[in-house]
Amino acid sequence: MQNDKTLTADDEGKDVVNSDGDKIGRVTNVEHGKAHVDPDPGLADTIRSKLGWGDDDEEDYVLNTSSIETVTDDEIHLSR
């Protein structure tokens, strides 16, 4: 688990989960420490992001690091 909230390309492909543990999206790209999240990734998007081929589209949202509670090997957990 990462102790800081600095995101890198290694975080691409991770699931984003809310404070209730529900999956709400997947990180498709990280630029300048900011994660771009697809709120409803399809299979192709998931594979691209896991391979590091992330590509933003008009449906991605930038995740504020202030919203992040913890980062694990597989997920980014949001605070309440």
Side-chain angles (χ1 to χ4, degrees):
M1 180 178 346
Q2 290 175 217
N3 290 329
D4 62 46
K5 296 177 185 178
T6 303
L7 301 176
T8 68
D10 291 338
D11 295 308
E12 291 177 7
K14 290 184 178 181
D15 290 333
V16 178
V17 296
N18 66 16
S19 60
D20 294 326
D22 298 324
K23 179 182 168 186
I24 59 169
R26 181 175 301 262
V27 176
T28 58
N29 193 20
V30 176
E31 287 185 2
H32 310 292
K34 295 187 183 226
H36 297 255
V37 178
D38 183 347
D40 186 22
L43 181 59
D45 292 336
T46 299
I47 291 170
R48 266 198 311 272
S49 63
K50 288 232 180 239
L51 293 173
W53 300 344
D55 199 17
D56 290 344
D57 63 30
E58 64 279 354
E59 296 177 12
D60 286 354
Y61 298 91
V62 176
L63 178 62
N64 289 325
T65 56
S66 62
S67 300
I68 298 172
E69 181 72 27
T70 58
V71 179
T72 68
D73 290 340
D74 300 317
E75 298 176 326
I76 296 176
H77 296 263
L78 302 180
S79 55
R80 286 198 181 264

